[in-house]
Amino acid sequence: GNSVTQMEGPVTLSEEAFLTINCTYTATGYPSLFWYVQYPGEGLQLLLKATKADDKGSNKGFEATYRKETTSFHLEKGSVQVSDSAVYFCALSPPGNTGFQKLVFGTGTRLLVSP
Amino acid sequence: NAGVTQTPKFRILKIGQSMTLQCTQDMNHNYMYWYRQDPGMGLKLIYYSVGAGITDKGEVPNGYNVSRSTTEDFPLRLELAAPSQTSVYFCASSSHRERGFFGPGTRLTVL
C-alpha cells in the first residue's frame, strides 16, 4: 500500500543552521508529494508540492526535490529562523487521486530553532 | 476571514459519554474532512463530505458519525466514547483538489 516515512524528531537547530528533514515514500506508480507545516496553535498549511519526478517544490526558502530513484522528498532550508519552529508533515497523493481525501500523511517531525 | 474553526480546543470525556466536535469553514468549500492523529502516527481520515447532504467513510470511521446539513458546518459525533478515541482531531476543507485548509485541532482525552 501507500505509506510515508519521516525522520523522528525533534530536530533541534540553532538559528541560521542548515535544515534537512528526511521523507521517503512507498507507492505504486507516480504519486504527488507534499510538505505541510503546522505552527503552534494553528492548523496544517500546505508548504510546497511536487507532482512528478525531478520536480522541485519551493516556498518561503524551503525546497524539496521529488527523487523517484530513491523514493524520497527531503525538505531542506539553507538558513533556519526561530519562526520556522513548527511540526512538518510529509504527505503523498496516490496516482490517479481525484480528491484531497486520499492524502497519506507521515507522522510529522517537530523542528525547534533556538536563537 | 476565519478559515476553518474547531471547537472545543480541549476536552476530557469519561468512557461511555458522548460529544460533538464542531467544525465550521467560511470559504464556501465543497469538500470537508475529519482526521485524527494518534501519538507518533500520521493523520488518518475518519469521514469526509463532498457537499451538503453527502458524506462518506474514510479509513477509520468506526465509533463516529457525521452530518453535513450546510456547506459551512461538518460536526463529528462520538456516541460512546472509548479510550481508543483519545487523539487529536483535525477538521479540514478544500475546494481545489489536494490543497486542504486545516483547523487548529481538538485534543480529546477519554478516561
Side-chain angles (χ1 to χ4, degrees):
Chain A
N2 300 306
S3 66
V4 174
T5 302
Q6 289 182 238
M7 63 188 293
E8 292 215 11
V11 173
T12 304
L13 295 173
S14 297
E15 207 164 24
E16 299 183 2
F18 184 86
L19 168 70
T20 300
I21 298 179
N22 290 337
C23 171
T24 57
Y25 67 89
T26 301
T28 305
Y30 296 84
S32 295
L33 301 172
F34 305 83
W35 277 101
Y36 280 81
V37 59
Q38 184 184 24
Y39 298 105
E42 300 182 11
L44 282 73
Q45 306 171 28
L46 180 64
L47 180 60
L48 53 85
K49 65 185 279 189
T51 57
K52 60 183 188 297
D54 299 325
D55 265 3
K56 178 185 284 188
S58 62
N59 186 23
K60 299 183 180 180
F62 290 90
E63 293 182 340
T65 300
Y66 189 140
R67 302 283 188 201
K68 186 179 185 311
E69 63 274 13
T70 54
T71 62
S72 66
F73 193 53
H74 304 321
L75 183 68
E76 296 181 336
K77 187 175 185 184
S79 175
V80 293
Q81 306 299 312
V82 172
S83 57
D84 294 326
S85 297
V87 180
Y88 293 82
F89 293 87
C90 186
L92 72 79
S93 176
N97 179 31
T98 57
F100 176 77
Q101 65 272 16
K102 299 294 187 184
L103 283 183
V104 177
F105 286 88
T107 56
T109 302
R110 182 176 298 278
L111 171 64
L112 300 171
V113 181
S114 57
Chain B
N1 191 341
V4 179
T5 57
Q6 291 183 236
T7 56
K9 284 187 168 51
F10 304 94
R11 184 73 185 268
I12 298 175
L13 285 181
K14 294 182 179 177
I15 294 172
Q17 286 186 320
S18 62
M19 76 165 294
T20 299
L21 282 67
Q22 301 291 344
C23 175
T24 301
Q25 54 92 7
D26 62 0
M27 296 171 281
N28 202 33
H29 286 165
N30 287 329
Y31 294 82
M32 295 189 75
Y33 318 82
W34 275 106
Y35 287 87
R36 61 177 285 174
Q37 185 185 25
D38 299 331
M41 306 288 286
L43 279 71
K44 295 191 182 297
L45 183 66
I46 305 172
Y47 270 96
Y48 67 98
S49 168
V50 301
I54 307 169
T55 63
D56 206 349
K57 296 177 181 179
E59 186 181 356
V60 289
N62 291 343
Y64 306 94
N65 281 300
V66 293
S67 59
R68 183 96 181 271
S69 56
T70 67
T71 299
E72 294 77 21
D73 300 307
F74 190 42
L76 178 71
R77 179 83 177 161
L78 283 71
E79 290 293 350
L80 291 170
S84 61
Q85 293 177 305
T86 293
S87 191
V88 181
Y89 292 83
F90 292 100
C91 179
S93 72
S94 71
S95 59
H96 183 70
R97 293 169 182 172
E98 301 169 354
R99 180 186 174 90
F101 292 80
F102 282 80
T106 295
R107 187 174 297 274
L108 175 67
T109 303
V110 182
L111 301 174

